[in-house]
Amino acid sequence: MAAIGIAGLVKRFGAVTVIEALDLEVGAGEFFTLLGPSGCGKTTLLRIIAGFERQNAGDLQVNGRLANDIPAHRRDMGMVFQNYAIFPHMSVFDNVAYGLKQRKFSHREIEAKVSRALELVRLEGYERRFPDQLSGGQKQRVVLARALVIEPQVLLMDEPLSALDAKVRVGLRRDIRLVQQQLGITTLYVTHDQEEALVVSDRIMVMEAGEIRQLGSPREVYEDPANLFVATFIGTSNLLDGRVDRSGGVSGVQVAGARLDLPDLPAADGTELHLALRPEHLTILDDGPVAEGVVALEGVVELVSYLGSQSRIAVRVPGVAEVVEVEAPSAAPASASPPGRAVRLGFRPESAFLFAAASGERVR
Amino acid sequence: MAVPAGSRRLDLWTVLTLAALAVLGIFVLWPLANVFTASFYGEFSGSLGLENYATFFGSGYFRRALWHSLFTSAMGTLLALALGLPLAVIAARYDFRGKAALRVLVLLSLISPPFIGAYAWIMLLGRQGLVTQALAGIGIGLPTIYGAPGIILVTALNLYPLVFLLVHGALLRIDRSLEEASLGLGRTRFQTFRSITLPLTLPAMATGALLVFLGVLSDFGTPALLGENYPVLATLAFTLFLSEIGGNPAMASTTSVVLVSVALVLILLQRWVASRRNYASDAINRPEILRMTGWQRLVFPAFAWGLMAIANLPLLIIVYTSFLETSGPVFLQSFSLDSYRQVFHLVRGAIVNSFAFSGMALALIVVTGSVVGYIISRRDTMLTRVLDTALMIPYVIPGTVLGIGFITAFNQPPIWITGTMAIIVAAYFIRRLPYMVRACASYVYQIDRSVEEASINLGAPPAKTFMKIMLPLMAPGILAGAVLAWVEVINELSATVVLYTGATSTMPIATYSQVLAGSYGPAAAVASLLILATTLSLVLFTVIGGSDRELTV
Ligand SMILES: Nc1ncnc2c1ncn2[C@@H]1O[C@H](COP(=O)(O)OP(=O)(O)OP(=O)(O)O)[C@@H](O)[C@H]1O
Ligand SMILES: [Mg+2]
């Protein structure tokens, strides 16, 4: 049984439709991430589930019960907000104990549960501190403990890490994932950071303008994007304009003066396409002959960015609007190319994602 | 949290909003409607029409009162601007010592009610005044303080702090880079001040001027004590309504409506001006503090401290004379506690009443004001916007007019409270409720919504969330609003003077009637008690406010 079921959900603010007929199921114990650009409706969806907004149409079920009419304070969901929302006039202990007191636990139980929760988020010994004596990361841990300690049916997190600096963010997201797996708690997580989504999620729902663009595991959305939006929103993609070429026996695509053989293309001759190529699928070729099945493009190195073990080499290719980014080990000779050097890029046609230029849908 | 759209149940906040609207309807709109209606029933004929207005504008007597009101309000405003503006510039822009002390003294002259100032100036410059007598002794005659000059002087010295506080704040919010840009373009400091700084403070100046104008216009105590043969609308309405020789409610109502109309026209004018010039900016760089040079080193401090001395002189005089032995209006040169003894003997009831009425009104104000302040800043619906606007009305209505309205509306069933203490408490409550609402609302705006939502999410229902999360976080705003309301309520004269009976007299009434009766000693003693109650609450506020834990969300 799904922990959360959403059917035909519509949300409008005045005349603006923010969410249009959304269907969704989240399994029990799943870490489910809503990922999408700013303003696409992630927060709105989360707030509808939490009961802070009401949908204009559609149903929300939680663990098999219809939840449409349950007021926010009876939904039994733990929520973690972007800007902490810590109670500034209460100690860490009182913050975490707040929901427990509401649930009329005994003193002994409250103390035991609070200290267990603080242990879980690695804040033992901070009980007596006040929020103004905590760092941003610590505040967010308190708020996480506050949400977890009530053992909610669902944990809701709205960009819980976006107010923190990069290093704290990486540490805390690992902790969030570990705690979630340890407790097996169904989690809905909102972020617009695609890397974060890939790292923590069981499944990701990529949203654009209130609609689902793809729903799948991190591996699926990265390695098998359903459309151009997902391919460019998640990870880096080099975009090349191409055209279906059915002249000759086997179907193919004309790109930047080269022809890629791609048998069985389900598209008419002359169809405009976008090719998306991940940087790691491109290589800088050495001077020898090109291997069987590899397509080569001529270009000129514009800039090499050193990223540690890997480097990004930006190559200007005639006939391609944007520079093409190539990833190579920093130790490789290509990573030492001076700007202006002529190089050849190589890739295998089957590694490219093909999208219809008109609709953005995946062709192959 | 937005009220969930489409939920049809009446939620707690909607019920409370409706309740607040009902209270405003009963205690503001209903009395005003009564006054308004009464003004259209002819004084002589008793029939509906414009007869009273014809009388009003046809008679030189009424027209003169209107002119007196406009004249003293305009001149009082000009004088307040002339005092408040330079002081604001000096305090905001120059390296001036004792700014903290200056602020306290400015506040002190603002919170002491004008009728106390009027009374003190009578003691100094009145017919029997200390200064008048002393100068007459060496053959110098002073111009009279009774009539327009006194009203203008006293109200301006009492209300210039409004100009000061607003303009001072605006000057500090002007980003330094704007002025630096102008200087960088080759303008001199004076040109920059004229072409950049002044225009940017204009809205604050206009608001300050409006508040002063409304303050003078609706003041009752000052013209009542200093006016003598110089009636203004507020005193005229009062005398017409409660005249010993048969009151004239019809003309009192007409005068009240004219008074309220003048106030309304001004407010609309100011809103219109403000909406056309709005330079909201947040100072990122505070303005530069200039060194005083040459003549400035002498003139600026002399002006500032001189003004402080003159504006606060009334307080000193009153406290000083309260300890002098008196015989009628004449002070003798020896100290005694006689005045206090007399006061505790004669007007003990008034003292008890003052604290009781003010205390009850304050309790109502705190409870209602914090809830309403929360509602109008958190819930944006048609109803709450109506409530927000309706709360402006008690701000604007002069106390005398509200008093007349209360008597007209509440001297018969269903609400028959004329002559009781309930009517006075209700008047205090409704007049100063807006202070509390504003103070609370400005705090709620600063509290992140998600703090509240987190509490609800953890299972606390809305009412409990309000009590456990919002109230503690609003506490500083509640305290500020409460102090302000307390100071205003305990010094209230203009509505009380219409509403009180022998048994429900208060300290301001006692002061007022003792002055009128020429018993200056007891008057000084009661006024000193008022000053004490006022100053103590301000001190308390500073002490508590200073030790308060900094609540940053
Ligand atoms: N109370 C509201 N009234 C009107 N429009 C709203 C309201 N709340 C949200 N919106 C609109 O709904 C859309 C979705 O907002 P939402 O906050 O869900 O976006 P989001 O995906 O969370 O974005 P972000 O990543 O910036 O947080 C936006 O266009 C926003 O302007
Ligand atoms: Mg959001």
Side-chain angles (χ1 to χ4, degrees):
Chain A
M1 180 185 60
I4 295 179
I6 288 173
L9 189 98
V10 176
K11 177 65 188 173
R12 285 185 287 267
F13 287 113
V16 185
T17 303
V18 177
I19 295 173
E20 176 98 67
L22 186 89
D23 297 305
L24 177 66
E25 289 208 335
V26 180
E30 196 174 13
F31 197 116
F32 190 91
T33 298
L34 310 179
L35 174 66
S38 187
C40 71
K42 309 180 293 289
T43 299
T44 304
L45 181 55
L46 211 65
R47 290 171 59 82
I48 290 173
I49 296 171
F52 293 133
E53 305 274 0
R54 190 177 169 107
Q55 67 270 31
N56 296 88
D59 284 334
L60 167 69
Q61 298 211 322
V62 180
N63 290 329
R65 271 182 64 204
L66 192 63
N68 293 351
D69 293 324
I70 302 178
H73 64 276
R74 290 214 211 92
R75 292 219 176 171
D76 194 26
M77 296 183 177
M79 182 138 179
V80 178
F81 296 82
Q82 177 173 358
N83 36 8
Y84 315 133
I86 199 164
F87 304 138
H89 58 306
M90 294 184 187
S91 66
V92 168
F93 181 91
D94 289 333
N95 261 280
V96 179
Y98 189 85
L100 295 173
K101 288 182 183 157
Q102 191 60 39
R103 286 165 176 72
K104 307 271 183 280
F105 282 99
S106 74
H107 269 296
R108 173 113 32 93
E109 279 172 305
I110 289 179
E111 265 177 37
K113 279 174 188 283
V114 169
S115 63
R116 217 173 319 130
L118 287 177
E119 213 171 290
L120 208 55
V121 298
R122 300 197 282 128
L123 276 181
E124 309 97 315
Y126 281 75
E127 286 86 347
R128 298 277 143 246
R129 294 248 198 140
F130 274 84
D132 55 4
Q133 302 164 316
L134 299 176
S135 72
Q138 290 168 335
K139 281 184 207 167
Q140 205 56 296
R141 284 170 194 274
V142 172
V143 171
L144 181 62
R146 187 176 71 182
L148 287 171
V149 79
I150 59 170
E151 296 169 26
Q153 302 188 57
V154 182
L155 184 62
L156 305 173
M157 292 196 254
D158 190 359
E159 309 202 24
L161 306 180
S162 62
L164 305 171
D165 62 52
K167 199 161 167 131
V168 182
R169 208 152 58 209
V170 170
L172 196 49
R173 82 183 178 207
R174 189 185 317 118
D175 286 355
I176 289 177
R177 178 57 162 155
L178 284 175
V179 169
Q180 186 270 339
Q181 281 177 336
Q182 223 170 314
L183 302 178
I185 184 168
T186 310
T187 301
L188 242 80
Y189 188 93
V190 165
T191 180
H192 61 230
D193 180 337
Q194 43 98 11
E195 187 198 320
E196 197 173 295
L198 293 177
V199 173
V200 296
S201 316
D202 289 320
R203 278 199 301 161
I204 298 175
M205 174 169 114
V206 186
M207 296 174 72
E208 187 191 15
E211 288 180 30
I212 305 179
R213 304 314 310 265
Q214 188 169 4
L215 208 163
S217 69
R219 187 176 283 272
E220 280 164 359
V221 294
Y222 185 82
E223 296 183 1
D224 195 11
N227 46 54
L228 188 61
F229 175 78
V230 175
T232 49
F233 191 73
I234 296 180
T236 310
S237 288
N238 294 299
L239 288 189
L240 287 68
D241 293 339
R243 166 168 304 179
V244 177
D245 176 12
R246 289 192 170 277
S247 61
V250 62
S251 63
V253 178
Q254 288 285 350
V255 168
R259 186 192 142 96
L260 325 184
D261 286 342
L262 288 163
D264 309 323
L265 261 187
D269 192 37
T271 308
E272 305 270 350
L273 295 178
H274 293 303
L275 270 78
L277 280 165
R278 300 285 191 200
E280 63 269 27
H281 291 145
L282 285 155
T283 49
I284 304 269
L285 301 171
D286 41 20
D287 293 338
V290 180
E292 176 69 29
V294 172
V295 180
L297 298 175
E298 309 271 344
V300 175
V301 173
E302 197 166 276
L303 183 72
V304 178
S305 311
Y306 175 76
L307 306 175
S309 66
Q310 300 286 308
S311 290
R312 280 281 172 92
I313 306 157
V315 179
R316 175 71 63 194
V317 178
V320 179
E322 296 289 316
V323 286
V324 177
E325 301 241 15
V326 182
E327 197 164 292
S330 293
S335 298
S337 309
R341 170 181 290 180
V343 289
R344 278 191 307 163
L345 305 179
F347 65 94
R348 295 186 170 275
E350 58 274 18
S351 68
F353 309 128
L354 268 54
F355 305 100
S359 65
E361 289 308 310
R362 181 84 173 269
V363 175
R364 212 201 72 115
Chain B
M1 182 189 81
V3 183
S7 98
R8 255 154 247 101
R9 279 179 315 136
L10 270 186
D11 74 343
L12 173 70
W13 304 118
T14 316
V15 172
L16 289 173
T17 310
L18 289 171
L21 280 171
V23 167
L24 283 178
I26 294 170
F27 289 107
V28 181
L29 291 186
W30 172 236
L32 282 183
N34 269 298
V35 172
F36 194 73
T37 324
S39 77
F40 288 103
Y41 280 99
E43 176 192 2
F44 302 111
S45 65
S47 58
L48 201 59
L50 290 175
E51 181 188 328
N52 297 334
Y53 289 92
T55 311
F56 188 98
F57 290 103
S59 129
Y61 182 62
F62 287 104
R63 277 207 310 265
R64 231 176 355 261
L66 171 60
W67 164 247
H68 289 166
S69 272
L70 293 176
F71 178 73
T72 50
S73 303
M75 298 312 276
T77 306
L78 281 183
L79 185 56
L81 281 172
L83 298 174
L85 279 183
L87 191 67
V89 174
I90 295 172
R93 289 306 169 82
Y94 287 91
D95 63 335
F96 184 80
R97 293 220 266 160
K99 282 185 186 173
L102 188 81
R103 257 188 98 79
V104 172
L105 287 175
V106 168
L107 281 182
L108 207 58
S109 49
L110 178 64
I111 60 173
S112 54
F115 71 87
I116 283 191
Y119 161 46
W121 285 108
I122 290 176
M123 284 196 287
L124 287 172
L125 301 177
R127 264 169 226 115
Q128 318 284 333
L130 301 173
V131 178
T132 321
Q133 299 279 327
L135 289 181
I138 52 171
I140 302 176
L142 282 179
T144 177
I145 192 179
Y146 299 96
I151 297 174
I152 293 165
L153 176 79
V154 167
T155 48
L157 282 177
N158 180 231
L159 297 174
Y160 82 89
L162 294 173
V163 176
F164 170 83
L165 292 172
L166 283 159
V167 176
H168 185 258
L171 282 171
L172 290 184
R173 280 196 307 274
I174 294 176
D175 199 302
R176 159 182 204 156
S177 52
L178 290 177
E179 291 175 356
E180 283 172 352
S182 163
L183 291 171
L185 292 169
R187 298 296 194 88
T188 66
R189 262 204 195 285
F190 183 69
Q191 286 171 331
T192 299
F193 186 78
R194 231 187 39 200
S195 58
I196 305 288
T197 315
L198 266 191
L200 286 174
T201 51
L202 216 54
M205 233 185 286
T207 310
L210 173 78
L211 292 177
V212 174
F213 194 101
L214 291 176
V216 185
L217 186 71
S218 56
D219 188 18
F220 169 81
T222 310
L225 292 179
L226 283 172
E228 297 204 333
N229 299 317
Y230 191 83
V232 296
L233 292 178
T235 48
L236 182 63
F238 171 75
T239 10
L240 284 171
F241 192 71
L242 287 182
S243 164
E244 307 278 324
I245 26 170
N248 184 345
M251 283 315 290
S253 300
T254 311
T255 310
S256 297
V257 172
V258 173
L259 179 53
V260 171
S261 309
V262 173
L264 270 183
V265 166
L266 262 148
I267 287 176
L268 294 180
L269 204 67
Q270 195 264 351
R271 287 210 143 182
W272 181 67
V273 172
S275 70
R276 285 157 43 99
R277 306 168 168 266
N278 196 356
Y279 316 102
S281 82
D282 285 314
I284 305 133
N285 306 303
R286 285 223 150 190
E288 184 186 4
I289 300 293
L290 303 173
R291 272 207 109 97
M292 292 184 285
T293 53
W295 59 271
Q296 297 173 335
R297 286 216 295 250
L298 203 66
V299 172
F300 287 179
F303 172 75
W305 297 119
L307 178 56
M308 288 309 103
I310 294 177
N312 289 296
L313 190 60
L315 298 183
L316 271 181
I317 292 293
I318 283 171
V319 175
Y320 172 71
T321 53
S322 72
F323 291 107
L324 288 182
E325 209 163 324
T326 54
S327 120
V330 181
F331 289 99
L332 307 173
Q333 288 311 310
S334 55
F335 287 100
S336 90
L337 292 176
D338 276 355
S339 298
Y340 285 95
R341 257 178 237 122
Q342 275 180 310
V343 161
F344 283 116
H345 182 64
L346 286 175
V347 295
R348 180 181 318 189
I351 299 172
V352 175
N353 282 348
S354 262
F355 283 97
F357 299 171
S358 306
M360 283 186 267
L362 188 66
L364 287 173
I365 289 173
V366 167
V367 173
T368 317
S370 51
V371 173
V372 173
Y374 166 81
I375 290 176
I376 63 169
S377 54
R378 266 297 193 265
R379 268 133 237 286
D380 189 26
T381 65
M382 262 301 283
L383 278 182
T384 59
R385 262 171 274 154
V386 171
L387 182 60
D388 196 2
T389 314
L391 273 167
M392 291 275 297
I393 304 172
Y395 253 148
V396 183
I397 304 304
T400 326
V401 176
L402 193 78
I404 293 175
F406 263 45
I407 293 216
T408 329
F410 303 137
N411 65 351
Q412 63 212 355
I415 306 180
W416 198 340
I417 52 174
T418 298
T420 68
M421 74 175 192
I423 200 169
I424 296 183
V425 173
Y428 289 0
F429 163 68
I430 212 72
R431 282 200 79 193
R432 299 312 172 198
L433 180 64
Y435 282 50
M436 194 66 183
V437 171
R438 287 281 144 238
C440 287
S442 66
Y443 255 84
V444 174
Y445 280 123
Q446 291 167 26
I447 303 170
D448 198 309
R449 255 163 216 272
S450 52
V451 172
E452 201 181 339
E453 290 178 347
S455 163
I456 292 177
N457 177 257
L458 290 167
K464 182 150 189 190
T465 295
F466 179 77
M467 300 295 287
K468 292 193 72 167
I469 303 296
M470 295 312 285
L471 270 190
L473 294 180
M474 286 158 66
I478 296 177
L479 183 67
V483 169
L484 211 60
W486 169 259
V487 165
E488 291 284 337
V489 156
I490 199 158
N491 288 309
E492 215 288 340
L493 175 68
S494 55
T496 321
V497 82
V498 183
L499 298 172
Y500 85 101
T501 62
T504 56
S505 170
T506 62
M507 287 202 276
I509 295 289
T511 312
Y512 170 72
S513 26
Q514 299 287 343
V515 175
L516 287 190
S519 329
Y520 284 8
V526 190
S528 297
L529 292 178
L530 271 180
I531 294 170
L532 186 70
T534 307
T535 318
L536 272 187
S537 56
L538 204 66
V539 170
L540 195 72
F541 172 63
T542 335
V543 172
I544 301 178
S547 67
D548 206 338
R549 169 182 263 289
E550 203 61 74
L551 294 173
T552 40
V553 185

